[in-house]
C-alpha cells in the first residue's frame, strides 16, 4: 500500500467516527466561505466516507477549496492507479515492451554464462554426481566435512542440567549491551544538507520533521520540538514551522529567539494572526506593553472573536495601567520655580536688587534688572525627592526619579555655585556666616563689588534703597538676595533674619517690605527643606499682605511636601484665582486632585477646607503687560497662516465629497458641498462650474446660468462654463444664446462632439421658434402681362428690381434671425443704403442682441462703413448710440482683435468724424472715452 493510500484510508477510517459536522455545513455556500483549512479537511473526510451520501461534484468542489487554502494538505493526497497498456499510447507501450524484451534477452544470456562457469576448480572425485543444473561436481571430502559440522541432538539428561535463570541473565546482558543508548534526552541534530534533494522530497521531509516536532511539543518536550522544527526549517522554511518554533521558544522562555521567529513569519506573511499573537505575548513578557497592544489590536481587527487575543489584551492593558499608576505613586513631583523679582508693591527703582526668587512661569508683577543669563540659581528647582514628614519640596523634572530623604530639614543636594565662589570657598575667603559687606570691604572699599556668579566688570550696588527700609536693612536684604542667587541659602537666611530683627528694633512701619522679607526667608527655608518654618513665614507674610502670590505658592509647596494635600490644594486654587497663568499651580492642582480622589474617594471635595474668595482688586493687580506691535503682528500672521491652512484642508475635503456625490448621482448633496466650498473660496472658478452641473441635473437652469456667468467673470475663456451655460439657456428655451455659447465652445475646441450635436439640435429649435413667432406675411401678387417684344419684358424686370429694392429698404427686423438674414444679404451685395435703413429702424439697445450670432470682423467693418458714410451726416446721435451699445455684444473684444489694418483705419476715421460733429447729447470727451473701447 502506498503512502498516499495509507493516508487517505487513515483519514477516512479513523476520523469519520469522531466527526461532528452539521448538515448545514455540507453545502457549496458554506464551503466557499469557510477559511479554516483544518475544518475543511474534516468536511472532505466526511464527504468521502459516504455516510451522508455520495456527492462527487461537492467532493471535487471541497477539494478545490481546500487546495486554495492549503495546497500541502495531507487530505488532498490520492493514490495513483497502476499504469496499464490501456492508459498509455501505442508508441509509449511499444517502447516499454521493446525495452523489456531487450532486458529479458540480456538476462537470459547472463544466466547461461553463469551456468557454464565452473564453481569449483579442484574437483577430485569424479564419481560424485554433479550439482543439479550444473556440469560441476563438489568433492566428497567437502561434503563429509559439511556433514561433520552439523549440531548433534542433545540427550534429555542434559536438559536437567540446564540453568534457566543463568541463561536468561546471559541473554539479558547481551541485549543490554547490544541495545542502542537511551535517546530520550538526546535531541536530533539540526544540521541537514537538502541541496541534493528534489523539491518534492524536501517538502515531504520538512513536513515529516515538523510532525515529529508537533509530537514532541504535545509531549511537553519543547527542546526536542525546537530541534525538529529547526530541522524542518533547514530543509524547507515554512510559516507553520516558524510559528511552531516560536511557540516552543515561548514555552522555554527564550524571548529573543521567539521574537526572531515571529519576525520571520511576518516577513513571509505580514498579516499572519498567529505570529502577531505570539509576538504580542513576547512583547508582554518583555514589558513592551504598547507594542503588544498594537499587535493585539491588529489581530482583533482580523478576528474580532479571537478569545486568546481578547484575554491577552485585557491582561496587557491592566499591566500597563498598573505600571503607570505605580510610576505615579512612586514619587510625587513639585516644581519649585521662584521668580527673580520682588513683589508688585515695590517701586520700579527699588526692584533692581530685591530679587529673591524667580519661577520659570512668570507670576506677573515686577521684573529684575539682571538679564536672565546673569541671574543666579535662586529660583532653580532643586532636584530633591521627599518622604512622609520630611518637609522636602518636590520637583517636576521629567527625567528624574524620586526617593526619600533620610533626615528632616537636611540641606539640598547640589546647588549651582559659580566656579569663582567655589575657588574662594576652597581658599577660605568665603566662610559660612561671613557677610557680603566684609567681602566688599576686603576687595574694594567702596559700595560696589563683583559678587560671585556675576561677570567681571559688572558691579553690584548693595546700597540700593528697598522701599521704606532704612539703608542698613536695605543692604542686608540686598546681600541676602545676592547670596540666594549664588545658592548660599543658609547665609541668605541669616541676612533676612537680621533684616527682620532690625525691622522690629527700628520700629519701621512698612508692612509691604516686612511681607517681602518674610516671603524671601520662607524661600530659603523651602530650599533647605524646612517646610514647617516656611509655612510659618508665609502665613506671617499673608497676614501683612493678604492674597500675595509668592507666599501663597511657597506655602502650597510646603504643604504638599508635608503631604497635607487638602491645604496645599486650597492654596493652589487661591493662586489660580489671583493669576490663572501660573502653570505650576495648574499642574499641582491636577496632581493633587488625583491623589485626593484615591485617598478620599468621590466625596473628596466635601473634606476640603473652605477656599477663600479672592477680591477683584487682587485678581486685577497682576495683569499681563501689553504685547508689542511685532509680537501682535507675528501672532496675527501665524493665526492667518493657520486659518488659511485649515481652510485649504476644509476646502479640499468639501470638494472631494462633492465630487464623490456627483459620481454617485447625489446632486443635491453635492450642491451643499460646493456651496460650502464657495463660502471658503468665493473666487474658485471650478466650483462654480461644478455647482452649475448640479443645477443642470436638478433642472434649476436659471441658477446654473448664474454660476456659469460668475465663472466666466473669473475666467472669460472657460470652456466648461460656456458649454454649461448653453445647456442652461437651452433649458430656459433661449436658443439664440445657447447657439452663441456653443459656437464659442467650438471656436475654442472644434473637436467637442457634444457641442456640435447640441448646436445642430439648437439650430433646428431656433428655426422652429422663429417660424412660430413670425406671423405669415401676406405676399403681394404682381400681375405679369405677356407683351410681344423686348420692351415690355424689360419694363417688368425693372419694376421687379424696384420692388425688391423698395422691400429691402423698408424692411424692419423683429428678431435676431431676420436681422442676420438681412445683414448677410446687404453685406454680400454691398448694399450700404439698405443696411443704413435697417440700422436706422433698429433700436440701439437691441443691436448687441441682434448681432450675437453674426458678430465677426467683416460684419463690424461693414457696419462701421455704413455708419460713417450714410448715417453720420443725417443723425450723429443715432451713430453715437449704436456705437455705445455695439461694444457690449458678446465676443466683441475678441472680434475687435482680429480686425485688419484697413478695417481699424475705418474705425478710427469714424470716431474722428463723430468727434467733429455737433450734438447736444454727447461731447468730444464722450466720443474719446468711447473710442478707447474700439481703438
Amino acid at each position: 500500500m502506498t503512502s498516499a493510500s495509507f493516508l487517505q484510508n487513515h483519514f477516512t477510517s479513523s476520523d469519520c467516527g469522531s466527526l461532528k459536522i452539521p448538515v448545514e455545513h455540507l453545502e457549496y455556500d458554506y464551503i466557499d466561505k469557510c477559511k479554516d483549512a483544518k475544518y475543511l479537511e474534516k468536511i472532505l473526510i466526511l464527504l468521502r466516507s459516504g455516510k451522508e451520501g455520495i456527492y462527487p461534484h461537492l467532493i471535487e468542489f471541497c477539494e478545490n477549496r481546500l487546495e486554495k487554502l492549503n495546497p500541502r494538505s495531507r487530505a488532498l493526497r490520492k493514490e495513483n492507479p497502476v499504469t496499464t497498456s490501456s492508459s498509455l499510447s501505442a508508441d509509449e507501450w511499444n517502447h516499454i515492451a521493446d525495452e523489456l524484451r531487450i532486458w529479458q534477452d540480456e538476462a537470459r544470456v547472463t544466466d547461461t554464462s553463469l551456468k557454464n562457469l565452473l564453481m569449483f576448480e579442484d574437483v577430485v572425485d569424479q564419481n560424485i554426481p554433479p550439482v543439479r543444473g550444473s556440469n560441476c561436481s563438489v568433492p566428497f571430502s567437502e561434503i563429509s566435512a559439511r556433514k561433520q559440522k552439523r549440531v548433534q541432538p542433545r540427550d534429555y539428561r542434559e536438559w536437567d542440567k540446564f540453568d534457566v535463570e543463568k541463561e536468561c541473565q546471559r541473554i539479558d546482558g547481551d541485549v543490554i549491551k547490544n541495545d542502542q543508548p537511551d535517546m530520550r534526552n538526546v535531541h536530533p541534530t539540526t544540521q541537514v544538507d537538502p541541496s541534493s534533494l528534489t523539491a518534492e522530497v524536501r517538502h515531504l521531509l520538512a513536513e515529516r520533521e515538523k510532525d515529529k516536532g508537533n509530537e514532541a511539543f504535545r509531549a511537553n518536550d519543547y527542546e526536542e520540538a525546537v530541534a525538529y522544527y529547526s530541522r524542518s526549517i533547514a530543509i524547507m522554511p515554512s510559516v507553520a514551522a516558524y510559528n511552531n518554533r516560536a511557540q516552543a521558544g515561548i514555552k522555554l522562555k527564550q524571548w529573543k529567539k521567539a521574537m526572531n521567529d515571529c519576525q520571520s513569519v511576518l516577513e513571509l506573511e505580514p498579516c499572519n494572526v498567529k505570529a502577531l499573537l505570539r509576538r504580542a505575548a513576547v512583547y508582554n513578557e518583555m514589558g513592551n506593553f504598547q507594542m503588544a497592544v498594537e499587535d493585539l489590536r491588529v489581530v482583533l481587527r482580523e478576528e474580532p472573536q479571537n478569545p486568546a487575543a481578547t484575554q491577552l489584551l485585557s491582561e496587557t492593558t491592566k499591566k500597563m495601567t498598573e505600571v503607570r499608576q505605580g510610576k505615579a505613586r512612586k514619587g510625587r513631583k513639585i516644581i519649585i520655580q521662584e521668580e527673580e523679582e520682588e513683589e508688585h508693591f515695590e517701586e520700579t527703582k527699588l526692584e533692581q536688587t530685591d530679587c529673591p526668587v524667580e519661577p520659570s512661569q512668570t507670576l506677573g508683577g515686577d521684573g529684575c534688572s539682571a538679564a536672565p543669563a546673569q541671574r543666579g540659581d535662586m529660583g532653580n528647582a532643586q532636584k530633591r525627592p521627599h518622604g512622609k514628614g520630611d518637609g522636602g519640596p518636590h520637583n517636576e523634572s521629567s527625567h528624574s526619579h524620586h526617593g526619600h530623604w533620610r533626615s528632616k530639614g537636611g540641606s539640598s543636594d547640589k546647588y549651582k555655585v559659580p566656579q569663582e565662589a567655589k575657588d574662594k570657598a576652597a581658599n577660605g575667603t568665603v566662610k559660612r556666616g561671613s557677610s557680603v559687606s566684609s567681602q566688599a570691604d576686603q576687595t574694594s572699599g567702596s559700595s560696589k563689588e563683583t559678587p560671585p556668579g556675576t561677570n567681571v566688570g559688572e558691579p553690584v550696588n548693595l546700597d540700593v534703597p528697598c522701599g521704606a527700609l532704612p539703608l542698613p536693612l536695605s543692604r542686608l536684604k540686598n546681600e541676602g538676595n545676592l547670596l540666594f542667587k549664588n545658592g548660599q541659602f543658609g547665609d541668605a537666611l541669616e541676612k533676612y533674619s537680621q533684616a527682620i530683627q532690625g525691622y522690629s528694633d527700628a520700629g519701621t512701619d512698612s508692612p509691604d517690605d516686612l511681607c517681602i522679607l518674610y516671603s524671601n526667608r520662607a524661600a530659603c527655608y523651602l530650599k533647605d527643606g524646612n517646610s514647617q518654618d516656611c509655612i510659618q513665614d508665609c502665613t506671617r507674610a499673608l497676614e501683612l499682605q493678604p492674597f500675595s502670590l509668592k507666599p501663597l505658592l511657597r506655602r502650597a509647596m510646603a504643604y504638599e511636601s508635608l503631604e497635607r494635600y487638602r491645604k496645599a490644594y486650597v492654596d493652589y486654587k487661591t493662586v489660580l484665582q489671583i493669576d490663572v497663568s501660573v502653570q505650576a499651580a495648574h499642574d499641582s492642582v491636577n496632581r493633587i486632585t488625583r491623589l485626593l480622589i484615591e485617598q478620599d474617594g468621590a466625596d473628596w471635595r466635601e473634606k476640603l477646607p473652605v477656599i477663600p474668595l479672592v477680591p477683584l482688586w487682587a485678581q486685577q493687580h497682576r495683569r499681563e503687560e501689553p504685547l508689542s506691535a511685532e509680537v501682535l503682528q507675528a501672532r496675527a500672521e501665524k493665526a492667518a497662516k493657520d486659518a488659511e491652512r485649515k481652510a485649504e484642508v476644509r476646502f479640499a475635503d468639501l470638494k472631494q465629497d462633492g465630487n464623490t456625490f456627483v459620481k454617485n448621482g447625489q446632486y443635491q448633496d453635492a450642491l451643499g458641498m460646493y456651496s460650502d466650498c464657495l463660502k471658503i473660496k468665493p473666487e474658485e472658478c471650478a466650483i462654480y462650474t461644478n455647482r452649475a452641473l448640479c443645477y443642470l441635473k436638478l433642472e434649476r437652469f436659471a441658477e446654473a446660468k448664474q454660476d456659469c456667468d460668475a465663472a466666466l467673470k473669473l475666467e472669460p475663456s472657460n470652456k466648461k462654463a460656456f458649454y454649461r451655460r448653453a445647456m442652461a439657456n437651452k433649458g430656459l428655451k433661449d436658443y439664440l444664446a445657447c447657439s452663441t455659447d456653443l459656437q464659442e465652445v467650438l471656436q475654442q475646441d472644434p473637436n467637442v462632439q457634444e457641442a456640435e450635436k447640441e448646436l445642430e439640435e439648437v439650430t433646428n429649435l431656433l428655426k422652429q421658434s422663429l417660424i412660430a413667432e413670425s406671423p405669415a406675411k401676406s405676399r403681394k401678387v404682381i400681375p405679369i402681362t405677356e407683351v410681344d417684344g423686348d420692351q415690355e419684358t424689360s419694363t417688368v424686370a425693372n419694376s421687379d428690381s424696384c420692388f425688391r429694392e423698395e422691400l429691402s429698404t423698408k424692411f424692419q427686423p423683429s428678431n435676431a434671425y431676420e436681422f442676420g438674414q438681412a445683414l448677410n444679404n446687404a453685406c454680400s451685395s454691398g448694399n450700404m443704403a439698405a443696411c443704413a435703413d435697417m440700422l436706422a429702424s433698429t433700436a440701439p439697445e437691441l443691436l448687441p442682441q441682434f448681432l450675437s450670432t453674426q458678430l465677426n470682423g467683416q460684419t463690424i467693418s461693414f457696419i462701421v462703413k455704413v455708419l460713417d458714410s450714410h448715417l453720420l451726416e443725417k443723425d450723429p446721435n443715432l451713430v453715437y448710440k449704436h456705437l455705445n451699445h455695439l461694444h457690449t455684444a458678446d465676443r466683441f473684444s475678441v472680434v475687435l482683435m482680429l480686425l485688419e489694418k484697413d478695417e481699424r483705419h475705418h474705425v478710427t476715421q469714424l470716431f474722428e468724424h463723430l468727434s467733429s460733429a455737433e450734438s447736444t447729447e454727447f461731447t468730444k470727451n464722450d466720443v474719446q472715452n468711447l473710442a478707447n473701447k474700439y481703438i
Side-chain angles (χ1 to χ4, degrees), residues 713-918:
K713 287 181 181 179
L714 298 172
E715 189 177 335
S717 60
N718 191 290
K719 183 170 59 177
K720 287 185 179 180
F722 276 116
Y723 182 78
R724 289 171 184 171
R725 188 173 70 174
M727 295 298 98
N729 287 326
K730 181 181 177 182
L732 295 172
K733 298 184 179 180
D734 189 356
Y735 303 121
L736 184 60
C738 177
S739 176
T740 303
D741 289 337
L742 291 173
Q743 289 177 7
E744 180 66 27
V745 174
L746 292 173
Q747 185 176 358
Q748 294 184 13
D749 188 0
N751 298 323
V752 183
Q753 298 180 359
E754 293 83 357
E756 291 181 358
K757 294 179 182 179
E758 292 292 340
L759 184 59
E760 293 177 3
E761 183 180 352
V762 169
T763 302
N764 296 331
L765 293 174
L766 180 62
K767 290 180 181 179
Q768 294 175 7
S769 64
L770 293 175
I771 294 172
E773 290 177 1
S774 301
K777 295 184 179 180
S778 59
R779 299 181 179 179
K780 295 182 179 180
V781 180
I782 302 177
I784 301 176
T785 306
E786 296 183 1
V787 180
D788 296 336
D790 297 334
Q791 183 178 2
E792 185 66 25
T793 304
S794 62
T795 303
V796 173
N798 292 333
S799 63
D800 187 30
S801 62
C802 293
F803 170 71
R804 289 180 182 177
E805 183 177 358
E806 180 181 1
L807 183 61
S808 63
T809 55
K810 294 182 180 180
F811 176 74
Q812 295 181 358
S814 60
N815 52 51
Y817 180 76
E818 294 178 0
F819 184 89
Q821 294 294 328
L823 183 60
N824 288 334
N825 293 333
C827 290
S828 60
S829 61
N831 192 349
M832 292 187 179
C835 182
D837 293 338
M838 184 174 62
L839 291 174
S841 61
T842 301
E845 58 269 15
L846 296 177
L847 184 61
Q849 182 179 358
F850 288 166
L851 284 175
S852 59
T853 59
Q854 300 293 331
L855 196 61
N856 52 50
Q858 183 181 0
T859 304
I860 294 293
S861 178
F862 185 76
I863 292 175
V864 167
K865 292 178 181 179
V866 170
L867 293 176
D868 189 14
S869 60
H870 289 75
L871 292 180
L872 184 59
E873 294 180 358
K874 296 179 182 180
D875 191 357
N877 295 330
L878 181 61
V879 174
Y880 178 81
K881 292 179 180 178
H882 275 307
L883 292 174
N884 195 25
H885 288 85
L886 179 61
H887 71 86
T888 61
D890 293 339
R891 298 184 291 110
F892 178 83
S893 59
V894 179
V895 174
L896 193 64
M897 294 172 58
L898 302 176
L899 291 179
E900 300 292 337
K901 184 176 181 181
D902 296 336
E903 294 172 348
R904 292 180 180 277
H905 177 68
H906 289 306
V907 175
T908 305
Q909 187 177 359
L910 172 61
F911 279 100
E912 290 177 356
H913 296 163
L914 185 61
S915 61
S916 61
E918 296 180 358

Side-chain angles (χ1 to χ4, degrees), residues 59 92 126 136 180 242 321 335 381 389 450 499 569 677 689 843:
I59 294 173
E92 293 177 347
Q126 298 293 333
C136 300
Q180 296 181 356
Y242 277 121
T321 306
I335 290 181
T450 304
Y569 182 87
C677 285
T689 56

Side-chain angles (χ1 to χ4, degrees), residues 94-354:
N94 292 332
H95 179 69
I96 294 173
D98 292 340
E99 289 185 351
L100 287 174
R101 194 179 300 108
I102 293 171
W103 174 81
Q104 187 177 5
D105 294 340
E106 292 178 352
R108 189 178 295 112
V109 171
T110 304
D111 188 28
T112 302
S113 61
L114 290 175
K115 287 181 179 180
N116 294 330
L117 184 65
L118 291 176
M119 297 180 62
F120 302 98
E121 295 181 356
D122 52 345
V123 179
V124 179
D125 195 354
Q126 298 293 333
N127 297 325
I128 300 300
V131 179
R132 186 186 307 168
S134 174
N135 57 356
C136 300
S137 300
V138 178
F140 180 78
S141 60
E142 186 175 347
I143 295 175
S144 59
R146 290 181 181 178
K147 291 181 179 180
Q148 291 176 1
K149 291 182 180 179
R150 287 184 179 179
V151 178
Q152 298 297 325
R154 296 185 176 183
D155 190 5
Y156 288 102
R157 288 173 294 182
E158 294 184 7
W159 287 106
D160 296 334
K161 301 177 182 179
F162 185 74
D163 190 352
V164 179
E165 296 294 335
K166 185 176 180 180
E167 189 66 20
C168 288
Q169 290 178 1
R170 184 183 65 81
I171 294 173
D172 291 340
D174 294 340
V175 170
I176 293 173
K177 292 180 182 179
N178 295 329
D179 282 347
Q180 296 181 356
D182 189 7
M183 299 296 292
R184 286 179 295 176
N185 296 325
V186 179
H187 302 301
T189 178
T190 59
Q191 296 179 357
V192 181
D193 185 14
S195 58
S196 60
L197 304 177
T198 62
E200 296 180 357
V201 174
R202 289 171 58 191
H203 172 68
L204 186 61
L205 291 177
E207 288 294 322
R208 185 177 299 171
E209 296 297 328
K210 188 189 71 174
D211 294 340
K212 292 179 182 178
N214 294 342
E215 294 176 1
F217 188 92
R218 285 192 289 269
N220 297 331
D221 193 350
Y222 303 118
E223 293 182 358
E224 185 175 357
V226 168
Y228 280 119
Y229 292 140
S230 301
R231 288 174 59 86
S232 176
I233 293 170
I235 296 171
M236 178 177 286
S238 64
V239 171
Y242 277 121
N243 259 332
N244 294 354
R245 192 170 71 173
Q247 184 65 20
I250 292 174
K251 293 293 185 180
L252 294 173
K253 297 183 179 181
Q254 298 174 355
W255 311 121
K256 181 177 278 188
K257 294 181 179 179
M259 177 66 70
N260 294 335
D261 287 339
C262 294
Q263 296 291 356
S264 300
V265 174
L266 293 175
E267 289 177 1
L268 298 175
E269 291 184 8
C271 295
N272 189 281
V273 174
K274 288 185 177 180
L276 289 170
L277 186 59
R278 288 165 187 174
R279 188 172 71 173
V282 174
Y283 277 138
N284 186 22
E285 294 294 339
M286 296 174 67
N288 195 346
F289 303 119
Q290 186 63 34
M291 298 297 294
V293 169
E294 293 179 4
D295 283 348
L296 291 173
R297 288 175 180 170
V298 175
V299 172
L300 291 176
R301 277 202 302 268
E302 296 291 332
E303 297 181 2
Q305 304 299 329
N306 193 318
T310 306
Q311 181 180 359
L312 186 57
L313 180 61
S314 62
E315 294 177 358
T316 307
T317 308
K318 185 177 179 181
K319 289 182 180 179
M320 191 187 310
T321 306
E322 291 177 355
V323 169
R324 289 177 180 174
Q325 292 178 354
K327 288 183 178 179
R329 290 193 295 265
K330 188 176 180 181
R332 303 183 181 94
K333 310 174 184 178
I334 302 177
I335 290 181
I336 300 181
Q337 296 173 329
E338 307 294 346
E339 185 176 6
E340 188 180 343
E341 62 184 22
E342 266 304 329
E343 298 297 331
H344 176 74
F345 305 106
E346 294 191 18
E347 298 180 359
T348 305
K349 65 179 182 179
L350 302 180
E351 294 165 359
Q352 297 178 356
T353 58
D354 294 341

Side-chain angles (χ1 to χ4, degrees), residues 300 484 613 649 844 881:
L300 291 176
F484 194 99
L613 184 62
V649 174
K881 292 179 180 178

Side-chain angles (χ1 to χ4, degrees), residues 11-82:
F11 273 107
T12 305
S13 60
S14 62
D15 293 344
C16 286
S18 61
L19 292 178
K20 295 181 181 179
I21 298 175
V23 181
E24 293 81 4
H25 293 179
L26 304 178
E27 295 180 354
Y28 287 96
D29 292 339
Y30 182 82
I31 295 174
D32 189 25
K33 295 178 181 179
C34 183
K35 297 182 179 179
D36 190 353
K38 296 294 184 181
Y39 193 69
L40 276 180
E41 289 180 355
K42 295 180 180 180
I43 294 176
L44 181 59
I45 293 168
L46 183 61
L47 290 174
R48 286 175 177 174
S49 66
K51 294 181 66 176
E52 300 294 338
I54 305 300
Y55 305 100
H57 296 290
L58 184 60
I59 294 173
E60 183 179 1
F61 182 78
C62 185
E63 290 175 351
N64 295 334
R65 178 60 180 167
L66 180 59
E67 186 176 3
K68 291 180 181 179
L69 294 177
N70 185 12
R72 302 176 180 179
S73 175
R74 300 173 63 188
L76 295 176
R77 301 179 186 177
K78 297 182 179 179
E79 180 182 6
N80 295 327
V82 178

Side-chain angles (χ1 to χ4, degrees), residues 336-338 358 376-382 416 484 489 527:
I336 300 181
Q337 296 173 329
E338 307 294 346
E358 67 279 10
D377 295 335
M378 183 173 184
N380 292 347
Q382 303 301 319
K416 295 181 181 179
F484 194 99
F489 305 116
K527 290 293 185 179

